[in-house]
Amino acid sequence: MDAPAAGIAEDDPSYVGALARGISVIRAFDAGRESMTLAEVAKATALPRATVRRSLLTLQALGYVASDGKQFRLTPRILSLGYAYLASTPMARVLQPALETVSERTRESCSASTLDGPEIVYVARAATKRIMSVGLAVGSRLPAYCTSMGRVLLAAETPARAREILASSDRKAMSPRTVTDLDALMRILDDVRRQGYSLVDEELEVGLRSVAVPIVSSGGHVMAAMNVSAQAGRVSCDELLHSVLPVLLEQAASVRSSLVG
């Protein structure tokens, strides 16, 4: 079960364990596990079968889960939980026009994400074409250690906190170019802090390059990251730095006054 990211500890009387377990059950479903039996959910969450059964039946009663009596699956109503975040924060609405401007001017896909533990979560996207083997959309998650936006967001943390997050990551090699060594990654983050951007060349996926910049609020805090991804066979690293990066920096600056934080 996922540990709380911040705030109260699991042994605090205010911590609602049943709610945490229910969320773990929801998060067990993904692209490779669209439909599961009770036993499969229990295995995926490392929770007792009785606990999983109560969570699934409760979610079913609320309309978030459907079942044929054996297999369980999420229903479209689950999207309302994600929409609640998008509707309650102005960030996605503020960023979307900027992403679309970047995409139009560079003719490449542009995305924005925030950091959630060792992963980045996409909060806005303007796509021109599918260039990755895995389709991306708002809500998609990718590892932070080997992505340009992830490195920008990790660089915004204190070095001690960044090292802690990286140490907790499953830093597997996504491609032959992926940097996985902790100390090497910390040196890369130092460079990102100094230069104000991150360029990742075929580390997440062979044939994919990306460059990212921080999105800073009017109060000077890094709220998110914005990137452009392109096919390595079509766009060189020099082109990303000399043609794409200035557009990203310009649009990141244009939204600063609209973001409070």
Side-chain angles (χ1 to χ4, degrees), residues 131 174-176 202-208 232:
I131 60 174
M174 307 293 284
S175 82
E202 299 189 77
E203 291 191 50
L204 175 65
E205 183 174 304
V206 173
L208 180 71

Side-chain angles (χ1 to χ4, degrees), residues 52-66:
V52 170
R53 179 178 180 276
R54 289 194 297 272
S55 294
L56 286 170
L57 292 180
T58 300
L59 289 168
Q60 185 176 3
L62 294 172
Y64 295 113
V65 164

Side-chain angles (χ1 to χ4, degrees), residues 217-235:
S217 71
S218 58
H221 300 104
V222 174
M223 305 286 287
M226 177 166 59
N227 88 333
V228 163
S229 298
Q231 291 175 339
R234 188 164 43 80
V235 181

Side-chain angles (χ1 to χ4, degrees), residues 228-250:
V228 163
S229 298
Q231 291 175 339
R234 188 164 43 80
V235 181
S236 68
C237 289
D238 282 344
E239 287 177 292
L240 283 178
L241 292 179
H242 295 112
S243 299
V244 175
L245 179 59
V247 181
L248 278 172
L249 290 170
E250 174 193 291

Side-chain angles (χ1 to χ4, degrees), residues 8 10 12-21:
I8 61 175
E10 289 188 38
D12 190 291
S14 298
Y15 184 82
V16 183
L19 176 60
R21 291 187 287 271

Side-chain angles (χ1 to χ4, degrees), residues 36-135:
M36 290 187 285
T37 64
L38 188 154
E40 289 170 336
V41 177
K43 181 179 179 180
T45 58
L47 292 171
R49 285 171 61 104
T51 299
V52 170
R53 179 178 180 276
R54 289 194 297 272
S55 294
L56 286 170
L57 292 180
T58 300
L59 289 168
Q60 185 176 3
L62 294 172
Y64 295 113
V65 164
S67 175
D68 61 5
K70 183 178 180 181
Q71 295 281 332
F72 293 87
R73 67 181 187 281
L74 299 180
T75 70
R77 180 174 289 188
I78 206 75
L79 293 173
S80 65
L81 302 179
Y83 179 74
Y85 167 76
L86 294 175
S88 65
T89 177
M91 184 164 61
R93 295 192 299 273
V94 169
L95 295 182
Q96 192 62 43
L99 300 188
E100 291 172 0
T101 296
V102 172
S103 184
E104 289 171 5
R105 289 174 58 180
T106 64
R107 298 183 180 180
E108 302 291 349
S109 297
C110 182
S111 307
S113 69
T114 57
L115 189 66
D116 184 16
E119 297 178 318
I120 58 171
V121 182
Y122 281 66
V123 296
R125 181 163 166 79
T128 57
K129 56 184 75 69
R130 179 167 169 172
I131 60 174
M132 288 186 63
S133 61
V134 177

